[in-house]
Amino acid sequence: MPAIASTAQSPSTDMAVRHDWKRSEIDALFALPFNDLIFQAAALHRAHFDPNAVQVSTLLSIKTGACPEDCKYCSQSGHYNTELEKEKLLEVSRVVEEAKAARQNGASRFCMGAAWRSPRDKDMPYVLDMIRQVKDLGMETCMTLGMLNEGQAGALAEAGLDYYNHNLDTSPEYYGQVITTRTYNDRLSTLANVRDAGMKVCCGGIVGMGEERNDRVGLLQQLANLPHHPESVPINMLVKIEGTPLADVDDLDPFEFVRTVAVARILMPQSYVRLSAGRQEMNDEAQALCFMAGANSIFYGERLLTTDNPEANHDQRLFKRLGIHPLDPRHEASDEAHEEAIQAQVSEQQAEEAGLFYNALDSKRAAKHVLDKDTGRPTATEH
Ligand code: SAM
Ligand code: DTB
Ligand code: SF4
Protein backbone atom coordinates (compact mmCIF):
# COMPACT_ATOMS: atom_id res chain seq x y z
CA MET A 1 0.00 0.00 0.00
CA PRO A 2 1.47 3.45 -0.78
CA ALA A 3 2.64 5.40 2.28
CA ILE A 4 0.17 8.16 1.61
CA ALA A 5 -2.76 5.78 2.04
CA SER A 6 -1.80 4.51 5.50
CA THR A 7 -2.98 7.46 7.51
CA ALA A 8 -6.05 6.09 9.24
CA GLN A 9 -4.52 6.29 12.73
CA SER A 10 -2.52 9.50 12.55
CA PRO A 11 -3.12 11.72 9.57
CA SER A 12 -0.09 13.65 8.41
CA THR A 13 -0.27 17.36 9.10
CA ASP A 14 3.18 18.00 7.67
CA MET A 15 3.10 21.74 6.97
CA ALA A 16 5.26 21.56 3.83
CA VAL A 17 3.41 22.85 0.81
CA ARG A 18 4.22 20.84 -2.28
CA HIS A 19 4.08 21.69 -5.97
CA ASP A 20 5.24 18.34 -7.31
CA TRP A 21 2.24 16.10 -6.88
CA LYS A 22 2.29 12.96 -8.97
CA ARG A 23 -0.86 11.59 -10.52
CA SER A 24 -0.35 8.29 -8.71
CA GLU A 25 -0.31 10.05 -5.33
CA ILE A 26 -3.52 11.92 -6.11
CA ASP A 27 -5.11 8.71 -7.37
CA ALA A 28 -4.18 7.06 -4.09
CA LEU A 29 -5.85 9.84 -2.11
CA PHE A 30 -9.06 9.53 -4.12
CA ALA A 31 -8.97 5.76 -3.59
CA LEU A 32 -8.76 5.97 0.21
CA PRO A 33 -11.72 4.75 2.23
CA PHE A 34 -14.01 7.77 2.60
CA ASN A 35 -13.50 8.08 6.35
CA ASP A 36 -9.71 7.96 6.05
CA LEU A 37 -9.72 10.61 3.33
CA ILE A 38 -11.95 12.95 5.33
CA PHE A 39 -9.86 12.38 8.47
CA GLN A 40 -6.68 13.34 6.65
CA ALA A 41 -8.26 16.38 4.99
CA ALA A 42 -9.86 17.55 8.24
CA ALA A 43 -6.56 17.23 10.10
CA LEU A 44 -4.81 19.43 7.54
CA HIS A 45 -7.70 21.87 7.57
CA ARG A 46 -7.30 22.23 11.34
CA ALA A 47 -3.53 22.59 11.09
CA HIS A 48 -3.88 25.60 8.79
CA PHE A 49 -7.25 27.21 9.53
CA ASP A 50 -9.93 27.70 12.11
CA PRO A 51 -12.09 24.75 10.98
CA ASN A 52 -15.30 26.51 11.97
CA ALA A 53 -14.69 29.73 10.04
CA VAL A 54 -15.98 30.08 6.50
CA GLN A 55 -15.19 32.99 4.21
CA VAL A 56 -18.25 34.46 2.53
CA SER A 57 -18.36 36.15 -0.88
CA THR A 58 -21.27 37.46 -2.89
CA LEU A 59 -21.40 37.29 -6.67
CA LEU A 60 -22.88 39.70 -9.18
CA SER A 61 -23.09 39.32 -12.93
CA ILE A 62 -22.05 42.73 -14.24
CA LYS A 63 -22.53 41.75 -17.90
CA THR A 64 -24.78 38.85 -18.76
CA GLY A 65 -25.04 36.50 -21.74
CA ALA A 66 -24.12 36.70 -25.43
CA CYS A 67 -20.63 35.40 -24.71
CA PRO A 68 -18.59 34.42 -27.78
CA GLU A 69 -17.02 31.41 -26.02
CA ASP A 70 -18.50 27.92 -26.41
CA CYS A 71 -18.15 26.54 -22.84
CA LYS A 72 -20.58 23.62 -22.95
CA TYR A 73 -21.78 24.09 -19.38
CA CYS A 74 -22.57 27.77 -19.54
CA SER A 75 -25.92 29.56 -19.60
CA GLN A 76 -24.17 32.63 -21.01
CA SER A 77 -22.57 31.18 -24.10
CA GLY A 78 -23.98 32.70 -27.30
CA HIS A 79 -23.53 29.28 -28.95
CA TYR A 80 -26.53 27.71 -27.17
CA ASN A 81 -30.12 28.70 -26.74
CA THR A 82 -30.58 28.89 -22.99
CA GLU A 83 -33.27 31.57 -22.99
CA LEU A 84 -31.17 33.68 -20.69
CA GLU A 85 -32.00 37.36 -20.53
CA LYS A 86 -28.94 39.24 -21.76
CA GLU A 87 -27.76 42.39 -20.07
CA LYS A 88 -25.19 45.01 -21.07
CA LEU A 89 -22.45 46.11 -18.69
CA LEU A 90 -24.19 47.41 -15.57
CA GLU A 91 -23.86 51.03 -14.48
CA VAL A 92 -21.16 51.53 -11.86
CA SER A 93 -23.70 53.00 -9.43
CA ARG A 94 -25.88 49.87 -9.67
CA VAL A 95 -22.87 47.65 -8.93
CA VAL A 96 -21.99 49.74 -5.90
CA GLU A 97 -25.57 49.47 -4.60
CA GLU A 98 -25.43 45.68 -4.94
CA ALA A 99 -22.06 45.60 -3.16
CA LYS A 100 -23.46 47.67 -0.30
CA ALA A 101 -26.35 45.22 0.07
CA ALA A 102 -23.92 42.29 0.07
CA ARG A 103 -21.80 43.99 2.73
CA GLN A 104 -24.93 44.66 4.76
CA ASN A 105 -25.70 40.96 4.69
CA GLY A 106 -22.24 40.01 5.92
CA ALA A 107 -20.25 39.27 2.75
CA SER A 108 -16.60 40.27 3.08
CA ARG A 109 -15.78 39.93 -0.62
CA PHE A 110 -17.70 41.10 -3.66
CA CYS A 111 -17.11 39.13 -6.87
CA MET A 112 -18.07 40.66 -10.19
CA GLY A 113 -18.38 38.43 -13.26
CA ALA A 114 -18.71 39.32 -16.93
CA ALA A 115 -19.63 37.09 -19.87
CA TRP A 116 -16.64 38.12 -21.93
CA ARG A 117 -13.88 36.29 -23.77
CA SER A 118 -11.73 39.11 -22.42
CA PRO A 119 -12.44 42.75 -21.53
CA ARG A 120 -12.38 45.30 -24.35
CA ASP A 121 -10.42 48.53 -23.96
CA LYS A 122 -13.60 50.57 -23.84
CA ASP A 123 -14.92 48.50 -20.92
CA MET A 124 -11.84 48.92 -18.77
CA PRO A 125 -12.52 52.42 -17.33
CA TYR A 126 -15.92 51.24 -16.02
CA VAL A 127 -14.50 48.07 -14.57
CA LEU A 128 -11.66 49.98 -12.89
CA ASP A 129 -14.16 52.41 -11.43
CA MET A 130 -16.20 49.50 -10.03
CA ILE A 131 -13.11 48.15 -8.29
CA ARG A 132 -12.26 51.51 -6.72
CA GLN A 133 -15.78 52.19 -5.53
CA VAL A 134 -16.40 48.70 -4.13
CA LYS A 135 -13.05 48.84 -2.34
CA ASP A 136 -14.07 52.17 -0.84
CA LEU A 137 -16.90 50.30 0.87
CA GLY A 138 -14.23 48.36 2.76
CA MET A 139 -14.87 45.10 0.91
CA GLU A 140 -12.42 42.78 -0.77
CA THR A 141 -12.87 42.77 -4.53
CA CYS A 142 -12.80 39.92 -7.02
CA MET A 143 -13.47 39.90 -10.75
CA THR A 144 -13.83 37.28 -13.44
CA LEU A 145 -13.80 38.86 -16.87
CA GLY A 146 -12.23 36.19 -19.06
CA MET A 147 -8.70 36.20 -20.44
CA LEU A 148 -6.34 39.02 -19.48
CA ASN A 149 -3.15 40.24 -21.10
CA GLU A 150 -0.34 41.70 -19.00
CA GLY A 151 -1.54 45.27 -19.43
CA GLN A 152 -5.09 44.48 -18.40
CA ALA A 153 -3.94 42.50 -15.37
CA GLY A 154 -1.67 45.40 -14.40
CA ALA A 155 -4.50 47.92 -14.69
CA LEU A 156 -6.85 45.84 -12.53
CA ALA A 157 -4.15 45.38 -9.90
CA GLU A 158 -3.37 49.10 -9.96
CA ALA A 159 -7.05 49.89 -9.34
CA GLY A 160 -6.82 47.69 -6.24
CA LEU A 161 -8.42 44.42 -7.36
CA ASP A 162 -7.66 41.81 -4.69
CA TYR A 163 -8.58 38.56 -6.48
CA TYR A 164 -9.00 37.48 -10.06
CA ASN A 165 -11.05 34.36 -10.78
CA HIS A 166 -10.09 32.33 -13.82
CA ASN A 167 -10.77 28.60 -13.72
CA LEU A 168 -8.96 25.74 -15.42
CA ASP A 169 -12.37 24.05 -15.38
CA THR A 170 -11.19 20.43 -15.91
CA SER A 171 -8.17 18.28 -16.76
CA PRO A 172 -6.08 19.15 -19.83
CA GLU A 173 -7.26 15.81 -21.32
CA TYR A 174 -11.00 16.46 -20.95
CA TYR A 175 -10.80 20.18 -21.69
CA GLY A 176 -11.32 19.83 -25.46
CA GLN A 177 -14.67 18.10 -24.84
CA VAL A 178 -15.89 21.17 -22.98
CA ILE A 179 -14.42 24.28 -24.63
CA THR A 180 -12.90 24.81 -28.06
CA THR A 181 -12.68 28.61 -28.32
CA ARG A 182 -9.79 29.05 -25.89
CA THR A 183 -7.00 26.68 -24.94
CA TYR A 184 -5.74 25.36 -21.63
CA ASN A 185 -2.55 27.31 -22.27
CA ASP A 186 -4.55 30.52 -22.76
CA ARG A 187 -5.91 29.96 -19.28
CA LEU A 188 -2.47 29.31 -17.81
CA SER A 189 -1.16 32.51 -19.43
CA THR A 190 -3.96 34.56 -17.90
CA LEU A 191 -3.21 33.03 -14.50
CA ALA A 192 0.46 33.92 -14.89
CA ASN A 193 -0.44 37.50 -15.85
CA VAL A 194 -2.70 37.81 -12.82
CA ARG A 195 0.00 36.46 -10.52
CA ASP A 196 2.72 38.64 -12.03
CA ALA A 197 0.54 41.71 -11.57
CA GLY A 198 0.45 40.93 -7.85
CA MET A 199 -3.19 39.93 -7.48
CA LYS A 200 -4.44 36.91 -5.58
CA VAL A 201 -5.58 34.03 -7.72
CA CYS A 202 -8.94 32.31 -7.50
CA CYS A 203 -8.77 29.23 -9.70
CA GLY A 204 -10.57 25.92 -9.68
CA GLY A 205 -12.93 23.97 -11.84
CA ILE A 206 -16.19 22.15 -12.37
CA VAL A 207 -16.98 18.53 -11.62
CA GLY A 208 -19.98 16.53 -12.74
CA MET A 209 -19.50 17.37 -16.43
CA GLY A 210 -19.36 13.71 -17.44
CA GLU A 211 -15.62 13.53 -16.81
CA GLU A 212 -13.87 10.52 -15.25
CA ARG A 213 -12.24 10.51 -11.83
CA ASN A 214 -8.97 10.62 -13.72
CA ASP A 215 -9.97 14.09 -14.97
CA ARG A 216 -10.72 15.30 -11.47
CA VAL A 217 -7.26 14.01 -10.55
CA GLY A 218 -5.79 15.84 -13.55
CA LEU A 219 -7.52 19.12 -12.69
CA LEU A 220 -6.33 19.03 -9.08
CA GLN A 221 -2.83 18.08 -10.17
CA GLN A 222 -2.69 21.11 -12.46
CA LEU A 223 -3.90 23.42 -9.69
CA ALA A 224 -1.61 21.97 -7.04
CA ASN A 225 1.46 22.10 -9.27
CA LEU A 226 1.09 25.76 -10.24
CA PRO A 227 4.15 27.76 -9.09
CA HIS A 228 1.97 29.24 -6.32
CA HIS A 229 -1.21 27.59 -5.17
CA PRO A 230 -4.26 29.73 -5.90
CA GLU A 231 -5.30 31.47 -2.69
CA SER A 232 -8.86 30.43 -3.48
CA VAL A 233 -9.86 27.16 -5.17
CA PRO A 234 -13.50 27.03 -6.24
CA ILE A 235 -14.87 23.52 -6.69
CA ASN A 236 -18.08 23.91 -8.69
CA MET A 237 -20.63 21.16 -9.14
CA LEU A 238 -22.08 21.52 -12.61
CA VAL A 239 -25.36 23.41 -12.58
CA LYS A 240 -27.15 21.80 -15.49
CA ILE A 241 -28.51 24.40 -17.87
CA GLU A 242 -31.22 23.53 -20.32
CA GLY A 243 -30.12 24.22 -23.88
CA THR A 244 -26.43 23.53 -23.23
CA PRO A 245 -24.72 20.35 -24.44
CA LEU A 246 -24.17 19.25 -20.82
CA ALA A 247 -27.81 19.67 -19.78
CA ASP A 248 -28.47 15.93 -19.52
CA VAL A 249 -25.18 14.62 -18.26
CA ASP A 250 -25.38 11.99 -15.48
CA ASP A 251 -25.32 13.21 -11.88
CA LEU A 252 -22.05 12.88 -10.01
CA ASP A 253 -22.19 10.88 -6.77
CA PRO A 254 -22.21 13.51 -3.99
CA PHE A 255 -19.55 11.51 -2.12
CA GLU A 256 -17.27 11.87 -5.13
CA PHE A 257 -17.81 15.63 -4.91
CA VAL A 258 -16.86 15.55 -1.22
CA ARG A 259 -13.79 13.48 -2.11
CA THR A 260 -12.78 16.14 -4.65
CA VAL A 261 -13.04 18.82 -1.97
CA ALA A 262 -11.02 16.68 0.46
CA VAL A 263 -8.26 16.00 -2.05
CA ALA A 264 -8.10 19.71 -2.95
CA ARG A 265 -7.69 20.48 0.77
CA ILE A 266 -4.85 17.97 1.11
CA LEU A 267 -2.99 19.09 -2.01
CA MET A 268 -3.38 22.81 -1.29
CA PRO A 269 -3.51 22.97 2.51
CA GLN A 270 -3.09 26.73 2.79
CA SER A 271 -5.70 27.69 0.19
CA TYR A 272 -9.31 28.51 0.74
CA VAL A 273 -11.30 25.71 -0.87
CA ARG A 274 -14.59 27.15 -2.05
CA LEU A 275 -17.76 25.11 -2.08
CA SER A 276 -19.06 26.96 -5.13
CA ALA A 277 -21.80 26.42 -7.70
CA GLY A 278 -24.24 23.59 -7.11
CA ARG A 279 -25.06 24.14 -3.42
CA GLN A 280 -28.71 24.80 -4.28
CA GLU A 281 -28.95 21.25 -5.62
CA MET A 282 -27.10 19.78 -2.63
CA ASN A 283 -28.64 18.90 0.70
CA ASP A 284 -27.37 20.35 3.96
CA GLU A 285 -25.77 17.05 4.91
CA ALA A 286 -23.61 16.96 1.77
CA GLN A 287 -22.55 20.55 2.40
CA ALA A 288 -21.67 19.70 6.00
CA LEU A 289 -19.48 16.87 4.72
CA CYS A 290 -17.75 19.35 2.41
CA PHE A 291 -17.02 21.65 5.37
CA MET A 292 -15.70 18.65 7.28
CA ALA A 293 -13.53 17.76 4.29
CA GLY A 294 -11.95 21.21 4.37
CA ALA A 295 -14.16 23.54 2.33
CA ASN A 296 -13.88 26.94 3.96
CA SER A 297 -15.49 29.45 1.69
CA ILE A 298 -18.82 29.81 -0.08
CA PHE A 299 -20.80 32.10 -2.31
CA TYR A 300 -23.58 33.63 -0.27
CA GLY A 301 -26.71 35.34 -1.53
CA GLU A 302 -29.63 34.11 -3.55
CA ARG A 303 -27.97 34.30 -6.93
CA LEU A 304 -24.69 33.05 -8.33
CA LEU A 305 -24.22 34.68 -11.74
CA THR A 306 -27.31 33.51 -13.60
CA THR A 307 -28.51 30.60 -11.46
CA ASP A 308 -29.93 30.22 -7.98
CA ASN A 309 -27.93 29.81 -4.80
CA PRO A 310 -29.44 28.89 -1.41
CA GLU A 311 -31.35 31.72 0.24
CA ALA A 312 -29.31 33.77 2.69
CA ASN A 313 -31.71 32.78 5.39
CA HIS A 314 -31.08 29.10 4.73
CA ASP A 315 -27.32 29.55 4.88
CA GLN A 316 -27.56 31.52 8.12
CA ARG A 317 -29.48 28.63 9.62
CA LEU A 318 -27.05 26.04 8.26
CA PHE A 319 -24.12 27.97 9.77
CA LYS A 320 -25.91 28.04 13.13
CA ARG A 321 -26.73 24.35 13.01
CA LEU A 322 -23.09 23.55 12.29
CA GLY A 323 -21.56 26.15 14.62
CA ILE A 324 -19.81 27.79 11.68
CA HIS A 325 -19.11 31.50 11.68
CA PRO A 326 -18.36 33.79 8.76
CA LEU A 327 -14.75 34.86 8.48
CA ASP A 328 -13.57 38.30 7.53
CA PRO A 329 -10.12 37.68 6.02
CA ARG A 330 -9.16 41.33 6.49
CA HIS A 331 -8.91 40.54 10.17
CA GLU A 332 -7.11 37.26 9.73
CA ALA A 333 -3.70 38.66 10.45
CA SER A 334 -4.71 40.98 13.23
CA ASP A 335 -4.49 38.21 15.80
CA GLU A 336 -6.12 39.69 18.88
CA ALA A 337 -8.89 41.58 17.13
CA HIS A 338 -9.59 38.55 15.01
CA GLU A 339 -9.65 36.21 17.97
CA GLU A 340 -12.04 38.57 19.73
CA ALA A 341 -14.25 38.77 16.66
CA ILE A 342 -14.37 35.00 16.45
CA GLN A 343 -15.12 34.70 20.15
CA ALA A 344 -17.85 37.31 19.91
CA GLN A 345 -19.38 35.48 17.00
CA VAL A 346 -19.19 32.12 18.80
CA SER A 347 -20.68 33.58 21.99
CA GLU A 348 -23.47 35.14 20.02
CA GLN A 349 -24.17 31.83 18.39
CA GLN A 350 -24.12 30.07 21.72
CA ALA A 351 -26.49 32.64 23.16
CA GLU A 352 -28.79 32.02 20.25
CA GLU A 353 -28.41 28.28 20.64
CA ALA A 354 -31.59 28.14 22.68
CA GLY A 355 -33.34 29.44 19.60
CA LEU A 356 -31.54 27.08 17.26
CA PHE A 357 -34.72 26.04 15.60
CA TYR A 358 -36.00 29.57 15.29
CA ASN A 359 -38.63 30.32 12.73
CA ALA A 360 -36.93 29.85 9.38
CA LEU A 361 -39.46 32.16 7.81
CA ASP A 362 -38.21 35.02 9.94
CA SER A 363 -35.80 35.99 7.21
CA LYS A 364 -35.37 39.56 8.46
CA ARG A 365 -33.86 38.36 11.71
CA ALA A 366 -31.50 36.02 9.93
CA ALA A 367 -30.47 38.57 7.34
CA LYS A 368 -29.35 40.98 10.04
CA HIS A 369 -26.65 38.66 11.35
CA VAL A 370 -23.98 40.99 10.14
CA LEU A 371 -20.28 41.60 10.79
CA ASP A 372 -19.08 45.14 11.25
CA LYS A 373 -16.79 46.03 8.36
CA ASP A 374 -14.10 47.60 10.54
CA THR A 375 -14.02 45.43 13.62
CA GLY A 376 -15.14 42.13 12.13
CA ARG A 377 -17.47 41.78 15.11
CA PRO A 378 -21.19 41.20 14.87
CA THR A 379 -23.06 44.48 14.80
CA ALA A 380 -26.20 45.03 16.85
CA THR A 381 -28.93 42.71 15.65
CA GLU A 382 -31.96 44.56 14.35
CA HIS A 383 -35.37 42.98 14.41
N1 SAM B 1 -16.45 34.64 -18.73
C1 SAM B 1 -15.49 34.51 -17.74
C2 SAM B 1 -14.70 33.22 -17.87
O1 SAM B 1 -15.24 32.21 -18.24
O2 SAM B 1 -13.52 33.24 -17.57
C3 SAM B 1 -16.00 34.64 -16.33
C4 SAM B 1 -17.34 34.08 -15.94
S1 SAM B 1 -17.52 32.32 -15.93
C5 SAM B 1 -19.22 32.17 -15.68
C6 SAM B 1 -16.72 31.79 -14.46
C7 SAM B 1 -16.70 30.31 -14.15
O3 SAM B 1 -17.96 29.90 -13.67
C8 SAM B 1 -16.42 29.34 -15.27
O4 SAM B 1 -15.07 29.25 -15.55
C9 SAM B 1 -16.93 28.04 -14.70
O5 SAM B 1 -15.91 27.37 -14.01
C10 SAM B 1 -18.03 28.49 -13.74
N2 SAM B 1 -19.35 28.11 -14.27
C11 SAM B 1 -20.00 28.68 -15.30
N3 SAM B 1 -21.16 28.07 -15.55
C12 SAM B 1 -21.26 27.05 -14.66
C13 SAM B 1 -22.24 26.04 -14.41
N4 SAM B 1 -23.33 25.93 -15.16
N5 SAM B 1 -22.02 25.17 -13.41
C14 SAM B 1 -20.91 25.27 -12.65
N6 SAM B 1 -19.95 26.20 -12.85
C15 SAM B 1 -20.12 27.08 -13.83
C1 DTB C 1 -16.57 30.11 -9.87
O1 DTB C 1 -15.70 29.22 -9.89
N1 DTB C 1 -17.87 29.88 -9.72
C2 DTB C 1 -18.61 31.13 -9.82
C3 DTB C 1 -17.49 32.19 -9.91
N2 DTB C 1 -16.31 31.39 -10.04
C4 DTB C 1 -17.57 33.26 -10.89
C5 DTB C 1 -19.58 31.12 -10.92
C6 DTB C 1 -20.56 29.99 -10.86
C7 DTB C 1 -21.53 30.15 -11.97
C8 DTB C 1 -22.64 29.20 -11.88
C9 DTB C 1 -23.60 29.31 -12.99
C10 DTB C 1 -24.30 30.63 -13.08
O2 DTB C 1 -24.84 31.15 -12.09
O3 DTB C 1 -24.39 31.14 -14.22
FE1 SF4 D 1 -18.42 32.93 -21.57
FE2 SF4 D 1 -17.31 32.51 -19.18
FE3 SF4 D 1 -19.63 31.32 -19.86
FE4 SF4 D 1 -17.39 30.52 -21.02
S1 SF4 D 1 -17.87 30.39 -18.83
S2 SF4 D 1 -19.33 30.97 -22.04
S3 SF4 D 1 -16.27 32.44 -21.17
S4 SF4 D 1 -19.28 33.48 -19.59
Side-chain angles (χ1 to χ4, degrees):
M1 194 189 285
I4 201 151
S6 58
T7 53
Q9 292 307 312
S10 52
S12 161
T13 52
D14 185 348
M15 305 295 265
V17 172
R18 291 177 48 191
H19 301 263
D20 59 353
W21 288 94
K22 296 192 194 77
R23 231 167 219 271
S24 56
E25 292 176 294
I26 306 174
D27 274 336
L29 287 170
F30 265 99
L32 282 172
F34 188 77
N35 284 344
D36 292 348
L37 175 59
I38 304 305
F39 188 38
Q40 190 169 331
L44 272 165
H45 187 193
R46 279 165 187 272
H48 291 275
F49 291 96
D50 171 353
N52 301 307
V54 169
Q55 190 276 331
V56 166
S57 299
T58 291
L59 268 171
L60 176 70
S61 180
I62 58 169
K63 187 267 166 184
T64 307
C67 183
E69 301 296 281
D70 71 351
C71 313
K72 290 189 175 46
Y73 49 77
C74 189
S75 62
Q76 307 203 64
S77 168
H79 295 252
Y80 319 116
N81 183 9
T82 62
E83 289 179 14
L84 179 73
E85 215 167 292
K86 304 170 185 64
E87 233 175 330
K88 288 195 289 207
L89 185 61
L90 297 182
E91 302 262 354
V92 178
S93 58
R94 165 86 193 283
V95 174
V96 175
E97 286 314 305
E98 297 281 347
K100 276 187 193 158
R103 184 186 61 171
Q104 184 67 21
N105 282 327
S108 59
R109 189 178 308 156
F110 194 61
C111 305
M112 296 158 267
W116 288 327
R117 175 175 166 79
S118 55
R120 298 168 303 184
D121 287 349
K122 67 175 189 172
D123 299 317
M124 286 301 280
Y126 298 100
V127 161
L128 299 178
D129 206 16
M130 287 174 195
I131 297 168
R132 290 187 204 103
Q133 293 205 37
V134 174
K135 260 192 104 71
D136 283 349
L137 301 176
M139 299 184 86
E140 288 187 319
T141 50
C142 176
M143 282 189 164
T144 180
L145 314 172
M147 295 186 287
L148 296 182
N149 61 31
E150 277 174 46
Q152 290 168 321
L156 294 173
E158 175 97 345
L161 188 66
D162 297 298
Y163 288 79
Y164 195 78
N165 167 243
H166 197 66
N167 290 339
L168 291 177
D169 278 354
T170 188
S171 66
E173 295 76 21
Y174 195 62
Y175 184 83
Q177 305 285 314
V178 183
I179 301 137
T180 67
T181 48
R182 68 172 70 150
T183 66
Y184 216 80
N185 271 337
D186 288 335
R187 290 182 186 258
L188 292 168
S189 305
T190 292
L191 293 172
N193 291 338
V194 169
R195 189 55 89 191
D196 291 348
M199 288 180 283
K200 293 184 190 140
V201 170
C202 173
C203 181
I206 312 177
V207 298
M209 296 195 293
E211 78 283 348
E212 304 283 328
R213 175 179 278 182
N214 204 28
D215 297 305
R216 295 184 281 279
V217 169
L219 166 67
L220 294 182
Q221 186 189 28
Q222 288 289 324
L223 293 168
N225 289 347
L226 287 169
H228 299 275
H229 291 169
E231 281 78 3
S232 165
V233 180
I235 307 292
N236 296 278
M237 177 77 106
L238 176 71
V239 179
K240 294 180 197 172
I241 311 279
E242 225 175 291
T244 63
L246 295 180
D248 298 318
V249 80
D250 286 345
D251 282 343
L252 184 73
D253 176 0
F255 294 132
E256 183 67 11
F257 184 84
V258 179
R259 281 181 186 277
T260 310
V261 168
V263 175
R265 164 55 61 226
I266 293 168
L267 302 188
M268 294 166 280
Q270 296 182 338
S271 303
Y272 281 84
V273 175
R274 183 178 298 271
L275 171 53
S276 304
R279 287 199 304 119
Q280 173 75 350
E281 292 74 24
M282 245 173 246
N283 62 27
D284 289 348
E285 293 81 352
Q287 293 185 58
L289 280 175
C290 291
F291 293 131
M292 230 167 123
N296 61 350
S297 73
I298 59 163
F299 288 118
Y300 168 79
E302 282 140 40
R303 207 95 181 119
L304 290 166
L305 289 173
T306 68
T307 64
D308 289 343
N309 201 37
E311 295 201 351
N313 186 24
H314 187 98
D315 280 342
Q316 296 281 358
R317 209 150 49 91
L318 180 60
F319 273 28
K320 280 202 178 75
R321 290 169 74 203
L322 300 178
I324 285 175
H325 53 271
L327 174 78
D328 189 336
R330 289 164 306 172
H331 301 285
E332 220 175 341
S334 73
D335 34 36
E336 232 172 80
H338 180 54
E339 210 30 58
E340 273 178 38
I342 288 173
Q343 280 313 322
Q345 190 79 12
V346 167
S347 312
E348 193 195 36
Q349 273 167 3
Q350 282 165 349
E352 285 189 19
E353 201 71 358
L356 186 65
F357 297 105
Y358 65 91
N359 183 358
L361 298 174
D362 188 359
S363 56
K364 264 199 182 152
R365 177 172 178 255
K368 297 291 179 192
H369 190 96
V370 163
L371 287 181
D372 181 275
K373 75 177 178 60
D374 298 317
T375 64
R377 294 177 197 200
T379 55
T381 305
E382 294 169 37
H383 292 278

